[in-house]
Amino acid sequence: MRPLSLASLRLLLAASVLAGCQSTNSAPLPAASAAQATGVAIAAPIAQPPVSFPDWLSALRAEALAQGIRPATFDRAFANVRLKDRVIELDSSQPEFARQPWQYLDSAVNDVRVRQGRERLQQNAGLLGRVSQRSGVPAEILVAFWGIETDYGRETGGFSVIDALTTLAYQGRRAGYFRGELLAALKILDSGDIAPERMAGSWAGAMGMTQFMPTIFLKHAIDEDGDGKRDIWGSLPDVFGSTAKFVLANGWRTGERWGEEVALPRDFPWDQAELTITKPVSEWRRLGVRPLGGGELAGEDNAAVLLLAGAGGPVFLVRENFRAIMKYNPSTSYALAVALLADRMTGRPGVQGAWPRHEPALSKDERLELQQRLASMGFEPGNPDGIVGANTRNAVRRFQKSIGAVPDGFATKALLERLRQASTGGPAAG
Ligand code: CA
């Protein structure tokens, strides 16, 4: 992940505002954390916590001990604890400009990362072979998670997990959630897997090379190398074994692909291109969806059509395993990055279609204006919140149909300009 910052910022705040991102508007907390740049961030005011830190810490200690954490573990963990202003700044930031999906993908799946992924695959062939044979999760998928999450262990986040989680549990916006993660982190320390000074992670407490949150660690981390410790900070066997266990638990289906890039017919029912709309592959075949290389779609599982850049951009048919990747992080751009990095490592081509690289991301003000104009014209985009989700895309489709354009739901500057012209005399939004 990028040095500090933008690392986990994306998971908490930005996943759902990425243009074209089809995750829900509520920006669900991630299972684990990874890098996704979010653009410029602006800080919001920080609320003062209601109790003093010593009083708060005293109550936390009582709760931890009641949960069976040893007093010595707690006291050692908090011996040098520091509240970190930087963590609160990051937790309070709101992205002003989302990155376009292709900007993120260009950086996340670059040639250097592909080459280094191939090297890692070769260097760890025996270990990866064993783990993937046992779990059914392909070696290249395990290495791709490692590459996207932490650039193969280079960018694991420079925060003390105890400092970061304490700060967020004491005065963050999601104090209850992070208190649970902090107690989980203490359980990990209590089990002896890692020393407090080595327990490093992102500002949001995502740990080690797999960027597991502590609760995910407790459920899924394993001691693959058999040294008695689950070490996702320093042991590659433990990193791959733990990643495989988590991905398998998230529904990975052995022997199947994540999906593929496809071509759509001109008369495709564009309102069916939403991640929430799944159909059997046979139904997509009937609707004219074709593999890029020609021939017919294979398989019979359920799939969805993913458009990240409108009808003119690349189109993907994503299957069950794509959803398994998204459970690591609920962003379509993230899941596509893991999938494409794995594909390219094994010699498959990257994205073949042309991204509309000339399209700038809409600013938050422009996204709000778009929603307000759609609402005032009766296209029902839902509550205007500056986040382009399924409701907004459907409203854009209704507007596009009304003007005879291809209803792909892609919100662009040109579309906003058409709305301004069409709603002249309407409310002065934006
Ligand atoms: Ca181990």
Side-chain angles (χ1 to χ4, degrees), residues 222-231 235 237-238:
I222 62 170
D223 173 23
E224 180 78 25
D225 62 13
D227 71 348
K229 297 176 193 306
R230 298 169 290 181
D231 182 1
S235 159
D238 292 6

Side-chain angles (χ1 to χ4, degrees), residues 3 13 32 40-41 111 146 148 153 168 172 174 193 207 211 218 220 259 292 295 344 351 358 411 420 422:
L13 301 170
V40 182
D111 290 345
W146 186 29
I148 297 296
L168 293 164
R174 299 171 177 82
D193 289 301
M207 308 185 302
Q211 296 286 283
L218 287 177
H220 300 290
L292 267 197
R344 288 195 55 197
V351 176
H358 57 281
R420 286 172 178 152

Side-chain angles (χ1 to χ4, degrees), residues 25-309:
N25 287 357
S26 58
L29 286 163
S33 145
Q36 180 157 313
T38 57
V40 182
I42 49 174
I46 295 165
Q48 285 302 311
V51 296
S52 76
F53 184 62
D55 287 349
W56 180 88
L57 198 57
S58 173
L60 181 76
R61 189 176 189 276
E63 185 177 352
L65 268 50
Q67 291 190 14
I69 291 158
R70 285 171 292 179
T73 299
F74 187 97
D75 295 340
R76 185 175 167 208
F78 285 94
N80 296 304
V81 72
R82 302 276 297 272
L83 294 173
K84 298 286 188 188
D85 290 344
R86 182 69 186 141
V87 168
I88 290 299
E89 282 170 26
L90 290 167
D91 185 42
S92 309
S93 298
Q94 299 285 352
E96 175 62 20
F97 288 96
R99 266 184 156 189
Q100 295 284 33
W102 52 89
Q103 293 173 309
Y104 166 69
L105 286 166
D106 285 351
S107 121
V109 192
N110 62 59
D111 290 345
V112 173
R113 193 168 280 168
V114 170
R115 178 172 50 76
Q116 293 180 339
R118 286 183 186 141
E119 291 166 5
R120 302 297 192 282
L121 269 177
Q122 286 171 3
Q123 290 158 0
N124 302 284
L127 164 65
L128 284 161
R130 285 192 300 280
V131 172
S132 97
Q133 180 73 30
R134 187 187 68 224
S135 64
V137 182
E140 64 271 18
I141 290 286
L142 299 174
V143 174
F145 273 111
W146 186 29
I148 297 296
E149 287 292 335
T150 61
D151 200 22
Y152 310 113
R154 269 189 291 269
E155 297 177 6
T156 57
F159 288 90
S160 149
V161 166
I162 293 297
D163 284 354
L165 291 176
T166 298
T167 304
L168 293 164
Y170 174 56
Q171 61 190 117
R173 294 184 302 152
R174 299 171 177 82
Y177 165 76
F178 284 112
R179 189 184 186 93
E181 292 295 338
L182 179 56
L183 288 163
L186 288 167
K187 284 176 190 154
I188 295 165
L189 292 175
D190 207 41
S191 67
D193 289 301
I194 187 84
E197 56 275 11
R198 276 194 63 221
M199 191 187 239
S202 75
W203 69 266
M207 308 185 302
M209 293 201 219
T210 60
Q211 296 286 283
F212 279 4
M213 293 301 290
T215 51
I216 295 298
F217 181 102
L218 287 177
K219 273 192 210 143
H220 300 290
I222 62 170
D223 173 23
E224 180 78 25
D225 62 13
D227 71 348
K229 297 176 193 306
R230 298 169 290 181
D231 182 1
I232 58 170
W233 294 265
S235 159
L236 281 187
D238 292 6
V239 165
F240 295 139
S242 300
T243 301
K245 180 159 180 274
F246 184 40
V247 173
L248 192 61
N250 288 338
W252 186 271
R253 293 157 69 125
T254 302
E256 293 181 9
R257 300 241 303 129
W258 60 269
E260 66 217 281
E261 193 174 344
V262 294
L264 305 180
R266 293 187 68 87
D267 61 350
F268 184 75
W270 296 97
D271 58 352
Q272 300 299 295
E274 283 288 335
L275 193 63
T276 50
I277 299 178
T278 60
K279 300 177 192 294
V281 168
S282 55
E283 179 65 10
W284 292 120
R285 269 197 297 269
R286 196 185 65 74
L287 290 170
V289 181
R290 296 281 180 272
L292 267 197
E296 290 283 348
L297 295 172
E300 286 307 321
D301 50 336
N302 287 319
V305 170
L306 181 65
L307 286 185
L308 292 177

